[in-house]
Amino acid sequence: MKILVAVKQVAALDEDFAIRDDGRDVDSDFFIRDLNEWDDFSLEEAVKIRESSAEPVEVVVVSVGPDEADESLRKCLAKGADRAIRVWDTCIEYSDSIAIARVLAAVAKREAPNMLFAGVQSSDQSFASTGIAAAALLGWPHAAVVSNLTCTPGANLAVFRRELEGGLLHEVEIQCPAVLTIQLGINTPRYASLRSIKQAAAKPIEVLSLSDLALGAADVGEAGSSSRVRRMYVPDKARAQLIEGDAAQQAARLAQIIHAFKGAAS
Amino acid sequence: MSGILVIGEQRRGELRPVSLELLSAGISLRRAGEEVAVAILSDSPDRFVKPLSLSGVDEIVTVKVGAAEFDPDIFESAVGALITKRNPDVVLVAHSVDSFGYAAALATRLGLGFATDVFSVERVDGELVATRGGYGQKVYVEVDFPGRNTVMLAIRGNVFKPPEQAASPRITIFDTPPVQSRATGREFIEMSAGDDVDMTAAEFILTIGRGIGEEAKVAQFRELADAVGATLGCSRPIADAGWLPKSRQVGQSGKTASTCQLYIAMGVSGAIQHLAGMKHVSTIVAVNSDAEASIFSVAKYGIVGDIFEIAEELRKHF
Amino acid sequence: MVSRTDAVTRILFEAFSAAEVRLFYLLGYAAIAIFGYGVYVQIRKYRRGAALKLEGGLWARFGAMLSSVLSHRTIERRDRSAGGAHRLIFYGFVLLFAGTATITLEYDILEPLFGIRFWHGQFYLVFSLVLDIAGVALIAGLAFMMYRRGWMRLPKLDYARPDRVPGDPDFDRPQYRREDWAFLWILLIIACTGYVLEAARLVWLQDRADIWDTRWWSPVGALLAEGMRTAGLGERGAGLLRHGLWWFHGLIALLLIALIPFTKVKHIFTAAASLMVRDPLAAQRLPRIPDSQEQVGAARITDFNWKQLLNLDACTKCGRCHEACPARAVGAPLSPRDVILSLREFAKSTLESGVLPDAAELDIHGKAPGQVAMETLWSCRTCMACVEICPVAVEHVPIIVQMRRKLVEEGAMDPLLTKTLQTIHKTGNSFGESKRKRGAWSKALPFPVKDARKEPVDVLWFVGDYASFDPRNQKVSQVFASLLQEAGVNFGILYDGESNAGNDVRRVGEEGLYEVLATANVNALAGASFKSVVTTDPHSYNTIRNEYPDFGGKYEIEHYTTLAKRLFTEGRLQVTNPLKYRVTFHDPCHLGRFNKGYDAPRELLALLGCELVEMGRCKANSFCCGAGGGRIWVPDPVGAEKPAQNRMKEAAAIPGLEVYVVSCPKDLTMFEDALKTTGNEGKFVVKELIELIREAIPARRAEEVPA
C-alpha cells in the first residue's frame, strides 16, 4: 500500500509585519515558516497506518513549494515518511488552491498511491479546498474533515467520521482509493527530535518541475487559478472598549458587568 | 441565464441557519433584472420550502436526491447539473463542513471562479470582488475572478443577517438523474458528552482557552464560574487536551452559544473557529494578556491583563 | 625478659594437625578463587558498557579518592553520627584486615622465601594493642549502625519506592534489609569471635610466660581471659574452645572474602573506584553525542558507559539522595536512589551472565522490575541535589538525562513539553514570542541599551528567556539595566541575536535542539565585541560557563551577583538607603550547587543592611523550586504539592520574615506563585535581589526609574 500525504509549509506573520510594495502579499521577511498544523496530523495518521499494518506501507509526502519547504519535508521524513517529493517552478507562484491541486493530482497520478491525505486547511490561507479539488482531478471518492479513521491496507473500504458543526459526527464508509482531508485532534502527532531531523537530511528529497509532471505554465499560477489576489491589507478591526486600571479595578468593573447582567436577567 | 444561485444546507431534517444568511448575501449581490434562486437538496426537499420562503428570494428550486443527508458524490452531481443548466453568475454555498466535501471539486470540474471563507462580497466596476482572511485573519485579502462566467463563493457563517420577512417565491422542481455514490453515510454521533451541560442553552458563559496553560488551573476557573453563576466553556485546545469535556467546547466544531447574552472569554486568543460559535453574543468581555489577540475584535469590553490575577480579584466580588 | 618479649609472636596454627593446616589452606584458596571469579564477573559486567575515556591523571584521581576515603568527608555530610560510626567500622576493619593480611605476608611469603620475620617482640605487642582497639572501634561502629537500622526508623533507610506501589514485586525489597543485617552481623560475629578466640588462646597458653605476661597488650582479650578463668575454664577446655572457635572465625572470615564481589560488601572496592572516576562537572556539563553516533540516549543497559555501570554498584543505599530529592519530597514517583538501584538490579540480572542476552532483554525503559518508568524520569528537576550529596560519587543526573534523550527521541513526553520544544525550535524562545521582541523590554528605559553586535561593550549581558519575555521579570531586567547604567558599566545585549541558552533544553534530553541553540549563541557571541559576559539567569550562566566551551565558546563569565558585589566594592554603587529587612535567601540550584556561587548574594545582602536568616536547607542543600530540567514547561500533577510550595512553607516558618530573596528569574516566577497558593501572601514578599539593590540605592534621577 502507498499513502501520499500532501503537506504545506505555511507562514505565520512576525511582529510588525509589512505588506509588500505591490500590495498583494505580506513581505516574506516577516514569515515564520513551519509545517502546517493540519498536515502534521495527516502525516501522523499515515504513519500510524503503516505502523499497525502487517503488510508493507509506503508513506510519501509531497509539497508544492520553493526550496525553503525542504525544511518541513525533512521534518516529515524525521517523523516517519519514507520519501519526500517537492514540486516547484517559479510560475507556480500566485497559485490558488485549485492550481496547487492540479500539481498534486499530477504527482498522485505519477505515484499511484492507494490513498491521498491532505489537511482540512492550511493555517495561513485557509482555503480548505486543495485536497478535494485534487480529488476531482483524479476522479477519486473524497471526504472532508475526517476524524476517527479506520483504514486497513488492502481493504477497498475505509470508515471514518466527518466532524460536523456543533459537536456532531457523521460516520461514513468510502471506497478506496480516496482523498481524505484530515482534521486536527484525530491523533497525537509525534515529536520530531532535532537529531532525527538532522539525520533525515541524509534522505533525499526528490525535486520535480512542472515538465516532469507534464504540466505547463497555463496550468498553474494566476492562469491556472480560480481566483486572483487583488489586494491584501491590514484591516481596521473593531476594538473592544478597554477596561483600564490595575487588576483589582479591572475585576471590579467586570464584576459590575456581571451584576448588571444578572440584575437584568432576574 | 444569469442570476444568483444559493445552495441551501440542511441536516437531519432541519434547515441549517447559514442557509438563510446565504440568502441575504445573494440578495445583496442582485443586480437589476437578476433573480435570486435557492436550491435545496434532500430526499424530501419540499419540507424546506416554507422556511426558505423569505422576502428577496425569487425562486426555490427543490432537488430530490437519493440521499437524506449530505453525500459528496450526489451533491456534487446535482449541484453541477443545476449550474450547468442555469448558468448563474454567482453560486453561493456555506463555508461549512458539507461544502468542504464537494464545492472545490465542483469548481475544479466546471472551471468556476472560486473562493472560500468569504465574509464580504461586492461588485467593483461590475466585477465580483470577494474578501477573505489571510494569515490567521491578520490580513484581509480581496480576490477577483477574471474571465470566469460563474463564480462559486463559500460564505462564512454568522456574517450576514438572515432575511426575516416571509414571502412566496416561485417553486421549481429540478430533476437530476440518480447517481451511485462511492461513499455511504451511516449514522450521526453526538460527540461524547462527558457531562450533561448544554452550552447552547446557557445565558452566561465563562470560557477558558489556551492561556490557562496547564490543566491544574482549570479548577480555579471552574470554581470561579460556579461562584459567578456562569456555565464554564472552553476553546478547542482545552477540549483536545482533555482538560474539559468536548461538550463544553464553544466554536465551529463545538457548540454555539446560541442563547448566551454575557460571554466572558479568559485566555482565549480568538481563532476564527472559536469566534464562529460566540461572536454574535451581545456582551462579550475578553480577558487576555496579549493586547493584539483577535478576541478583542469581537468583544464589547476588553481587559488586557493576567487572567489569573483578574480571576482571583473577580472572585472576591462574589 | 628481653628474650621472652622477643619470642612473643602471633599464635597461628599451633596444635593443628598437618591435615588441618592443609584443609585451611585449601579453603583459603577456594575463597580467594571464588572472590577472583566474582571480580572477573563484575569487571566483565562493566566492560559490557560503552567505552569512555577519562580526563585527568590517574594519580591525581587516586589522591582525591584516598583523601575522600581517609577523611570520610563525603560520608559524614548531613549525617555526622552515621559518618562517625562508619569511620570506626572503616578504620577498625582496615587495621584488622591489615593485621591479618600482614601475617599472611610474613608466614606464607616473606619467611618461607626470604626468611624475613617481623611479627614478634615489641612490634607484635604494640600491634596487638592497636588491633584490640581497632576491634573495639569496629564493634562500637557496628553496634551503632544496628541501633540506627533497628530503632531510629530513618525515612532515608526505608526502601519503599515512590515509583512502585505496595504489592509490586520490587516495592520495598526486603532482601536489601536482610543483606544489610547479614553484613552487620557477619562483621560483628567476626569481631566478637576474634576477642573470644584471643581470650581462649590466652587461657589455653597461660603457662607460657611470653604469652601470659604480655597479655595486657591485648586488653580486651586479657579481660575476657580473666573472666573465663574466674568462670572456671581450664587450659584443656580453653584449648578445645580455641580450636573450635578458630575454625569458626576463620571460616566466616573466608566466607566474607568469598562473598565480597557478590554482595554489598563490594562497595569497599566499587565506592572507592567510583570516587576515583568522579567527574566534578557531572551535572553541570552533560556529555555530547558524537555526530557519528546513530543512537541517541540510553535505551539499553549497555548504552551506559563502564563508569556509569560502576556507579550503579557503588551505591550503598545510604538514602542521602532519596532525602535530598525535591521530586521525592513532594511525592513524585522518583527517588534517585531507586533509579540507581533499579538499574543495578537490571545490570546484575542481564550483564553478569556468561552470554550477553539479546538486545530486547536489555531495554531499561518500562515498568518491569529493574526498568525505569518514564514518569520517573520526567519527575526529575536535574537540580543536582542527589549528585551533590552522594558520598560515593554516583552521578545520577547524566544517567537520567541520557535515558530522557531516548524518551525525547521517541516523543514519549508531556504534550506541553513537546509543544514547548517545537516553539523553541521555531522562535528561539520558550514563550513563542517573535525573535524581534527579545529586546523590547529595554524600550521602557530612559536610555538606549547598546546592541553588542553593533558597538563594542565591556560587559555583554546574556539576558535569557524569562528575563526577556516574562512581564514580571522584564521589570527586574529594566532595574538591572538601570543599575548597570548608573554604575557606569559599558554594557550591551544581543537583542534578537540571542536564543534560549539551552541549559534546560539539554536537561530535558533534547540534545539536537541544544546543539542548535548553543551553536546559534556561540555564533552570535562571536559576532559581538565584549570583554566578559554577565547573566541574570543562573541556568544560562551554567550552560555558557560549563557547556559552551565544548562548542567552541570560551568566555569570561559571571553571574550578576558577583558583578554587583564588585561594583559595590569599587564604590561604583553605594548604599544610600540601608534596608533593615529580615530576609532569607534561596540559593538557585544552577548558581549554588552547580557553580558554588554561595557567597556573593549573601555578601550583597549584608551590604544592603539586611538581616539574613538561613533556611534549614540552604547553600549546597538548597531545595529546588521545581522548575529545573525543563519542568517549568510541564505542569505539576493536579492536587499534589509542588516543590516551590514545600519551600514556601519552610520559609514561612522563619519568624518575622519580610522578604524571600531570589536571584533567578525562574525562581521569581515559581515562588511568587507558590507564595499565593500556600496562603502566605501578605505575610512576606518574594523579591529578586536586584530589586533590593534598587531599593537600597534610590535612583538619582526620577526619570531613571523605568515605568
Side-chain angles (χ1 to χ4, degrees):
Chain A
M1 185 192 188
K2 186 194 275 187
I3 305 174
L4 186 62
V5 182
V7 301
K8 178 180 183 186
Q9 183 167 52
V10 292
L13 300 185
D14 206 345
E15 296 295 319
D16 310 321
F17 66 88
I19 302 283
R20 227 162 48 187
D21 288 343
D22 70 357
R24 296 180 62 192
D25 205 340
V26 171
D27 184 343
S28 61
D29 277 359
F30 294 91
F31 284 166
I32 301 173
R33 293 188 166 89
D34 200 358
L35 177 64
N36 181 31
E37 193 178 1
W38 276 266
D39 302 342
D40 206 4
F41 286 85
S42 50
L43 171 66
E44 178 67 27
E45 198 60 21
V47 173
K48 271 176 66 184
I49 290 169
R50 185 187 61 201
E51 285 173 348
S52 61
S53 159
E55 74 166 70
V57 175
E58 191 186 22
V59 176
V60 182
V61 285
V62 55
S63 187
V64 180
D67 297 359
E68 298 97 272
D70 280 353
E71 198 184 320
S72 287
L73 287 174
R74 266 196 292 274
K75 211 177 205 178
C76 294
L77 289 168
K79 282 168 181 264
D82 299 296
R83 285 196 290 125
I85 299 169
R86 182 170 62 80
V87 187
W88 191 241
D89 198 306
T90 45
C91 54
I92 294 178
E93 224 176 323
Y94 299 110
S95 292
D96 74 350
S97 56
I98 287 174
I100 298 291
R102 210 161 278 130
V103 180
L104 290 177
V107 174
K109 278 178 189 148
R110 188 184 143 108
E111 286 289 322
N114 304 79
M115 290 298 256
L116 172 58
F117 288 175
V120 167
Q121 60 183 13
S122 61
S123 58
D124 52 1
Q125 303 306 343
S126 315
F127 289 127
S129 51
T130 315
I132 301 301
L137 294 163
L138 289 166
W140 285 12
H142 48 85
V145 198
V146 166
S147 68
N148 288 70
L149 172 65
T150 310
C151 174
T152 319
N156 45 19
L157 285 178
V159 181
F160 56 85
R161 291 171 181 178
R162 290 195 305 136
E163 192 183 293
L164 305 177
E165 293 86 357
L168 196 66
L169 299 167
H170 187 206
E171 192 162 277
V172 178
E173 193 179 77
I174 200 165
Q175 291 172 16
C176 303
V179 176
L180 303 180
T181 73
I182 306 290
Q183 172 66 317
L184 302 176
I186 188 173
N187 52 42
T188 310
R190 68 197 62 198
Y191 178 69
S193 76
L194 267 286
R195 195 88 189 173
S196 61
I197 294 175
K198 206 167 155 187
Q199 283 167 350
K203 296 194 199 175
I205 294 172
E206 189 183 356
V207 181
L208 301 178
S209 66
L210 284 181
S211 55
D212 293 327
L213 297 167
L215 291 173
D219 296 311
V220 294
E222 268 177 18
S225 292
S226 303
S227 63
R228 180 184 70 173
V229 174
R230 273 167 55 102
R231 182 166 87 97
M232 198 178 277
Y233 63 98
V234 182
D236 293 323
K237 282 192 186 169
R239 287 290 304 181
Q241 180 192 329
L242 284 187
I243 298 171
E244 306 286 350
D246 63 17
Q249 292 164 328
Q250 290 171 323
R253 176 76 186 100
L254 180 51
Q256 257 178 17
I257 294 170
I258 296 171
H259 284 304
F261 159 75
K262 290 171 115 177
S266 63
Chain B
M1 238 177 124
S2 66
I4 292 143
L5 175 64
V6 171
I7 309 297
E9 221 173 79
Q10 54 87 16
R11 181 174 297 153
R12 302 172 95 184
E14 304 262 354
L15 195 64
R16 295 199 61 233
V18 67
S19 308
L20 306 184
E21 298 168 23
L22 296 179
L23 294 179
S24 295
I27 292 163
S28 73
L29 282 176
R30 172 167 46 190
R31 289 180 293 198
E34 280 188 335
E35 287 201 342
V36 174
V38 54
I40 186 78
L41 287 71
S42 165
D43 60 348
S44 50
D46 296 344
R47 64 204 288 191
F48 303 105
V49 166
K50 188 157 180 272
L52 287 170
S53 298
L54 294 166
S55 90
V57 178
D58 301 291
E59 181 188 11
I60 298 175
V61 185
T62 60
V63 186
K64 190 174 166 64
V65 292
E69 301 295 342
F70 170 76
D71 177 292
D73 286 344
I74 293 172
F75 274 51
E76 184 184 326
S77 158
V79 175
L82 259 175
I83 294 172
T84 314
K85 173 91 186 297
R86 302 172 73 102
N87 201 17
D89 281 344
V90 182
V91 181
L92 299 181
V93 299
H95 187 65
S96 66
V97 175
D98 284 357
S99 306
F100 287 0
Y102 79 99
L106 192 55
T108 308
R109 206 154 52 76
L110 300 182
L112 310 179
F114 184 59
T116 58
D117 199 17
V118 170
F119 56 78
S120 164
V121 56
E122 56 185 335
R123 288 189 208 269
V124 179
D125 304 332
E127 291 295 316
L128 204 62
V129 174
T131 308
R132 60 193 314 282
Y135 301 108
Q137 310 302 316
K138 281 190 176 166
V139 298
Y140 285 176
V141 190
E142 282 177 4
V143 294
D144 58 12
F145 313 91
R148 306 283 175 167
N149 292 324
T150 302
V151 173
M152 182 187 257
L153 300 176
I155 304 288
R156 185 187 287 180
N158 284 317
V159 174
F160 293 90
K161 276 222 176 313
E164 285 169 0
Q165 264 194 307
S168 310
R170 181 170 86 243
I171 295 161
T172 314
I173 298 170
F174 182 77
D175 282 323
T176 174
V179 178
Q180 191 58 47
S181 176
R182 297 166 295 179
T184 319
R186 286 175 169 178
E187 53 175 341
F188 288 96
I189 304 147
E190 280 289 341
M191 251 184 229
S192 58
D195 57 6
D196 53 5
V197 68
D198 183 4
M199 298 306 294
T200 58
E203 295 189 339
F204 175 17
I205 296 175
L206 190 154
T207 296
I208 50 178
R210 224 189 271 261
I212 72 158
E214 52 177 300
E215 190 174 7
K217 298 283 177 22
V218 173
Q220 183 187 353
F221 291 92
R222 192 194 304 274
E223 200 276 331
L224 178 68
D226 284 348
V228 303
T231 306
L232 183 66
C234 66
S235 61
R236 182 171 189 122
I238 304 296
D240 273 356
W243 297 351
L244 279 177
K246 204 80 183 161
S247 56
R248 289 189 184 263
Q249 181 188 324
V250 175
Q252 196 163 46
S253 55
K255 301 291 183 185
T256 302
S258 314
T259 54
C260 185
Q261 291 158 44
L262 176 58
Y263 191 95
I264 302 177
M266 304 192 82
V268 177
S269 60
I272 188 75
Q273 288 85 353
H274 183 75
L275 302 187
M278 48 67 74
K279 69 177 173 134
H280 58 275
V281 177
S282 58
T283 307
I284 296 169
V285 187
V287 187
N288 205 298
S289 56
D290 178 8
E292 299 303 314
S294 26
I295 189 83
F296 288 119
S297 66
V298 300
K300 185 166 177 184
Y301 302 105
I303 293 177
V304 178
D306 180 83
I307 57 166
F308 305 107
E309 236 177 286
I310 300 289
E312 224 169 274
E313 290 293 337
L314 181 60
R315 181 70 188 79
K316 295 177 186 166
H317 294 271
F318 291 87
Chain C
M1 233 359 235
V2 171
S3 70
R4 199 178 58 191
T5 322
D6 210 37
V8 70
T9 183
R10 175 78 181 232
I11 303 298
L12 210 52
F13 292 118
E14 192 141 325
F16 276 46
S17 67
E20 268 183 306
V21 173
R22 271 201 300 279
L23 178 64
F24 181 76
Y25 270 88
L26 206 64
L27 290 170
Y29 289 133
I32 290 168
I34 295 170
F35 171 83
Y37 174 72
V39 170
Y40 160 72
V41 168
Q42 299 306 316
I43 289 176
R44 185 179 62 189
K45 172 170 74 181
Y46 306 141
R47 288 175 60 94
R48 282 172 171 169
L52 170 76
K53 236 183 100 64
L54 292 177
E55 295 165 12
L58 197 65
W59 284 109
R61 290 182 167 278
F62 184 77
M65 178 276 282
L66 209 60
S67 131
S68 292
V69 170
L70 295 182
S71 68
H72 265 51
R73 182 180 55 82
T74 60
I75 306 177
E76 215 167 40
R77 294 187 53 214
R78 268 177 247 161
D79 198 340
R80 292 192 70 86
S81 56
H86 191 278
R87 183 183 279 123
L88 291 177
I89 297 172
F90 171 80
Y91 278 106
F93 185 87
V94 164
L95 287 171
L96 288 166
F97 183 80
T100 315
T102 45
I103 291 169
T104 310
L105 183 70
E106 178 192 281
Y107 189 85
D108 294 323
I109 299 166
L110 295 180
E111 193 176 8
L113 296 181
F114 309 105
I116 301 171
R117 285 182 71 237
F118 54 88
W119 269 114
H120 54 84
Q122 202 65 34
F123 178 75
Y124 167 71
L125 292 177
V126 172
F127 213 86
S128 300
L129 179 65
V130 169
L131 292 194
D132 243 41
I133 295 168
V136 172
L138 177 61
I139 290 171
L142 290 170
F144 176 78
M145 289 307 201
M146 286 177 150
Y147 168 72
R148 184 169 172 269
R149 282 196 187 275
W151 286 272
M152 285 171 73
R153 304 254 164 241
L154 299 173
K156 63 179 165 184
L157 295 182
D158 180 355
Y159 294 142
R161 293 173 61 164
D163 57 337
R164 294 287 193 276
V165 291
D168 282 349
D170 49 353
F171 170 61
D172 65 351
R173 300 161 296 194
Q175 74 276 17
Y176 282 173
R177 283 197 299 278
R178 288 196 289 273
E179 191 189 22
D180 293 334
W181 281 105
F183 181 38
L184 289 173
W185 274 112
I186 283 190
L187 284 180
L188 190 70
I189 288 169
I190 292 175
C192 291
T193 53
Y195 279 126
V196 179
L197 183 60
E198 185 175 55
R201 189 178 65 226
L202 287 173
V203 177
W204 168 47
L205 301 176
Q206 56 185 284
D207 286 348
R208 277 174 50 180
D210 60 333
I211 288 169
W212 186 248
D213 293 350
T214 56
R215 69 184 182 283
W216 289 107
W217 287 96
S218 309
V220 180
L223 211 62
L224 279 174
E226 296 292 342
M228 285 176 181
R229 289 214 306 172
T230 318
L233 187 70
E235 286 169 33
R236 226 180 76 82
L240 282 175
L241 180 63
R242 175 260 174 186
H243 203 112
L245 265 184
W246 192 98
W247 275 106
F248 182 71
H249 178 88
L251 287 179
I252 283 205
L254 289 181
L255 183 71
L256 183 72
I257 289 170
L259 286 181
I260 288 176
F262 307 98
T263 60
K264 72 179 277 188
V265 189
K266 71 171 157 225
H267 83 270
I268 56 183
F269 296 111
T270 53
S274 178
L275 281 165
M276 215 173 126
V277 296
R278 148 176 270 160
D279 174 4
L281 290 177
Q284 296 90 324
R285 185 194 54 199
L286 294 172
R288 284 197 74 168
I289 305 173
D291 277 336
S292 57
Q293 194 175 309
E294 270 280 306
Q295 188 188 321
V296 177
R300 292 188 282 272
I301 189 76
T302 44
D303 292 333
F304 291 125
N305 60 45
W306 60 264
K307 176 183 144 171
Q308 288 168 321
L309 294 176
L310 175 67
N311 266 184
L312 304 180
D313 273 353
C315 173
T316 59
K317 311 191 284 287
C318 74
R320 284 170 173 81
C321 59
H322 181 77
E323 197 172 46
C325 178
R328 205 270 321 153
V330 296
L334 163 68
S335 160
R337 172 194 72 188
D338 295 327
V339 170
I340 296 302
L341 291 178
S342 228
L343 291 171
R344 166 153 103 196
E345 287 158 26
F346 195 94
K348 184 179 160 75
S349 67
T350 52
L351 302 185
E352 289 189 7
S353 58
V355 184
L356 193 64
D358 292 342
E361 287 169 52
L362 300 175
D363 185 356
I364 44 182
H365 293 269
K367 299 204 164 183
Q371 291 184 320
V372 183
M374 59 178 273
E375 296 79 11
T376 299
L377 296 169
W378 288 124
S379 294
C380 177
R381 267 77 175 163
T382 65
C383 74
M384 202 190 139
C386 48
V387 176
E388 196 274 340
I389 194 58
C390 182
V392 296
V394 173
E395 292 157 4
H396 318 63
V397 170
I399 288 177
I400 288 174
V401 171
Q402 272 164 306
M403 291 184 78
R404 279 183 175 183
R405 284 177 180 172
K406 172 68 177 20
L407 294 180
V408 168
E409 213 48 35
E410 287 176 346
M413 56 186 149
D414 190 283
L416 277 180
L417 183 56
T418 311
K419 255 210 148 67
T420 307
L421 294 174
Q422 285 164 339
T423 300
I424 296 175
H425 179 213
K426 203 162 110 180
T427 63
N429 67 75
S430 59
F431 287 76
E433 294 281 3
S434 162
K435 273 184 203 298
R436 295 171 208 256
K437 275 174 82 181
R438 191 173 269 275
W441 59 268
S442 67
K443 287 185 194 156
L445 292 167
F447 55 88
V449 173
K450 285 185 184 170
D451 185 338
R453 297 169 301 177
K454 295 182 181 147
E455 50 189 321
V457 293
D458 292 337
V459 175
L460 183 127
W461 176 13
F462 192 95
V463 188
D465 272 13
Y466 265 72
S468 297
F469 293 110
D470 174 57
R472 173 70 180 90
N473 279 294
Q474 282 176 344
K475 290 180 189 152
V476 178
S477 300
Q478 288 155 357
V479 170
F480 186 62
S482 314
L483 287 169
L484 289 179
Q485 177 82 357
E486 288 164 36
V489 177
N490 175 17
F491 76 101
I493 61 176
L494 288 173
Y495 284 91
D496 51 316
E498 183 185 302
S499 298
N500 178 300
N503 185 74
D504 298 0
V505 167
R506 187 171 224 196
R507 277 149 190 81
V508 158
E510 210 334 349
E511 185 67 7
L513 181 54
Y514 176 73
E515 287 167 4
V516 169
L517 295 169
T519 310
N521 282 323
V522 168
N523 290 340
L525 287 162
S529 166
F530 58 91
K531 291 179 186 149
S532 68
V533 180
V534 69
T535 72
T536 33
D537 171 23
H539 294 239
S540 307
Y541 173 59
N542 178 67
T543 193
I544 297 173
R545 180 180 190 217
N546 297 314
E547 295 181 318
Y548 279 19
D550 284 352
F551 291 81
K554 292 193 176 73
Y555 320 99
E556 195 183 302
I557 177 168
E558 61 187 335
H559 184 248
Y560 82 83
T561 43
T562 47
L563 173 62
K565 206 202 92 191
R566 205 168 53 248
L567 294 177
F568 277 110
T569 322
E570 291 170 1
R572 293 162 78 179
L573 288 178
Q574 273 165 354
V575 174
T576 52
N577 173 36
L579 310 174
K580 299 283 176 220
Y581 296 134
R582 190 172 166 86
V583 305
T584 192
F585 179 71
H586 170 83
D587 290 276
C589 307
H590 286 82
L591 177 62
R593 256 194 303 277
F594 275 68
N595 291 294
K596 306 271 183 286
Y598 305 122
D599 300 333
R602 288 178 171 76
E603 287 162 8
L604 277 171
L605 285 170
L607 278 168
L608 302 181
C610 293
E611 178 205 357
L612 174 65
V613 185
E614 296 282 4
M615 288 177 279
R617 296 177 292 192
C618 66
K619 297 185 179 172
N621 192 25
S622 182
F623 191 75
C624 175
C625 72
R631 283 298 308 226
I632 194 151
W633 303 317
V634 185
D636 283 304
V638 182
E641 187 187 45
K642 298 173 188 204
Q645 294 172 325
N646 181 298
R647 183 63 154 174
M648 272 299 110
K649 289 177 191 161
E650 183 181 8
I654 297 175
L657 180 69
E658 291 171 278
V659 188
Y660 181 92
V661 185
V662 298
S663 58
C664 166
K666 291 188 179 82
D667 279 335
L668 191 61
T669 303
M670 298 301 277
F671 289 123
E672 283 201 335
D673 190 42
L675 184 77
K676 291 177 196 161
T677 54
T678 52
N680 282 303
E681 212 178 359
K683 293 179 189 158
F684 58 93
V685 294
V686 176
K687 279 199 176 162
E688 186 25 271
L689 184 46
I690 290 168
E691 296 176 299
L692 287 187
I693 299 177
R694 173 80 287 166
E695 238 185 288
I697 317 171
R700 278 167 234 157
R701 293 190 306 274
E703 66 270 27
E704 278 178 357
V705 187

